[in-house]
Amino acid sequence: MKRQKKKIVNRKNYILYTGIVLSALIVLVTIFAPFLEPHDPTKMELSQKFIAPCREFIFGTDHLGRDIFSRVIEGARVSLSIAATVVFFSAVLGVVLGMFSGYVGGATDMLIMRVVDVLLAFPTIIFALALSTMMGTGQTNLIIAITCIQWTRYARIARGETLMLKNAEYVEAAKSIGNNTVQILGKYIFPNVISKIIVLASLDIGTIILYCASLSFLGLGAQPPSPDWGVMISEGKDYMQYAPWLTLFPGLAIAFSALAFNMLGDGLRDLLDPRMKEVIRTD
């Protein structure tokens, strides 16, 4: 039993620590991008186009002579900033509406949850694609489009946790001493919800990076000459036969980022989920 327990704990720690290291690496790259880029990511040199990976151009150059390595690094800033913005606004909107819905109940709860159910009936990428098409291209519209459906995930989790906690003894005691709804939600319920929200947010970052790259590939997100990973793959798809590095390295960057944040989310879920702790304790 002790060996099994140790094995589960080691697996949990391995996933969490690996996710932290990889995610921290991506964040550091975005922060220090201007110092890591050997060339201007938007400067065009037609005399240097389609140079294969070499010592001077580690990832090669594209059809306009731009350094792909510099563009991949700069693309990390674009992708991570969009993902972080979407996660922040989705979490704030979803947690506020979800907690309020679960605590108040009645017609308010029914109305909010029916809206959530309707939005969740649509695949996220299809809904965001339709909304982006209606609003137009650009990073701002891309953020709005994804946020408009992504908040529902946070709302359902926040509502579920609130329903379990609103009749707890300490909440009833808080009511009896005169705390209003906002105080109860902020001081007594939200601290118990935040751990689940952190786990979901860390998992969502990798997913949203994939959504952003997909929509940018279709021309609905960041626009050229922005070094967005989706834009880079879209521009390089016509040259894949004789210059595969144009799409290979941006694709690897997307996969690496998604893997890093998914591992971080899985590790945090194992660490913060009480049910997982109970399983480990029982074994």
Side-chain angles (χ1 to χ4, degrees):
M1 293 296 177
K2 290 183 178 179
R3 284 186 181 177
Q4 188 176 1
K5 176 180 177 181
K6 186 176 181 180
K7 184 177 180 180
I8 295 175
V9 173
N10 288 339
R11 176 187 173 276
K12 176 179 68 175
N13 292 339
Y14 170 77
I15 293 176
L16 177 60
Y17 295 153
T18 304
I20 291 174
V21 171
L22 296 181
S23 302
L25 178 62
I26 296 172
V27 173
L28 289 174
V29 167
T30 62
I31 294 174
F32 297 103
F35 306 100
L36 299 174
E37 298 164 2
H39 302 277
D40 186 341
T42 59
K43 184 179 180 181
M44 296 181 289
E45 291 286 349
L46 295 180
S47 61
Q48 297 179 339
K49 63 181 181 179
F50 295 124
I51 296 178
C54 58
R55 180 175 298 180
E56 183 179 359
F57 300 103
I58 301 175
F59 289 175
T61 61
D62 64 8
H63 60 296
L64 297 175
R66 296 171 297 190
D67 179 38
I68 294 178
F69 180 71
S70 300
R71 289 178 63 77
V72 167
I73 293 178
E74 189 66 23
R77 302 182 71 182
V78 176
S79 299
L80 193 58
S81 61
I82 293 176
T85 304
V86 170
V87 167
F88 175 77
F89 286 111
S90 298
V92 170
L93 180 61
V95 169
V96 170
L97 291 178
M99 289 174 56
F100 183 75
S101 173
Y103 187 78
V104 174
T108 301
D109 180 40
M110 182 177 296
L111 175 62
I112 294 175
M113 285 302 105
R114 294 299 76 78
V115 172
V116 169
D117 291 339
V118 170
L119 291 176
L120 287 176
F122 295 93
T124 302
I125 189 66
I126 300 300
F127 184 90
L129 175 62
L131 206 55
S132 297
T133 303
M134 290 188 293
M135 293 190 302
T137 60
Q139 293 184 15
T140 301
N141 289 339
L142 179 63
I143 291 171
I144 295 173
I146 299 177
T147 303
C148 282
I149 190 169
Q150 204 68 14
W151 69 270
T152 55
R153 292 159 52 84
Y154 297 89
R156 294 198 61 152
I157 289 179
R159 175 182 178 269
E161 293 295 312
T162 303
L163 288 175
M164 291 191 298
L165 296 170
K166 71 175 185 178
N167 294 321
E169 292 183 0
Y170 68 92
V171 174
E172 295 294 337
K175 291 180 187 177
S176 66
I177 60 175
N179 286 280
N180 57 35
T181 299
V182 175
Q183 290 174 322
I184 291 173
L185 290 176
K187 291 165 55 176
Y188 300 100
I189 295 181
F190 178 72
N192 294 283
V193 175
I194 189 63
S195 61
K196 299 287 179 66
I197 300 303
I198 290 173
V199 172
L200 180 59
S202 59
L203 287 169
D204 266 358
I205 291 178
T207 303
I208 293 170
I209 287 175
L210 291 174
Y211 291 157
C212 293
S214 300
L215 294 174
S216 296
F217 176 84
L218 297 173
L220 297 173
Q223 299 297 302
S226 174
D228 180 88
W229 291 334
V231 172
M232 294 175 66
I233 294 176
S234 178
E235 291 178 340
K237 68 181 186 299
D238 296 330
Y239 311 102
M240 289 183 65
Q241 289 186 345
Y242 52 90
W245 57 87
L246 271 67
T247 55
L248 174 63
F249 293 111
L252 290 176
I254 295 171
F256 179 81
S257 300
L259 175 64
F261 286 105
N262 282 336
M263 291 186 71
L264 176 63
D266 286 341
L268 289 174
R269 180 181 57 197
D270 293 345
L271 180 66
L272 300 176
D273 192 345
R275 289 169 296 182
M276 179 60 69
K277 292 180 181 178
E278 187 64 30
V279 169
I280 295 174
R281 192 183 303 117
T282 301
D283 291 341

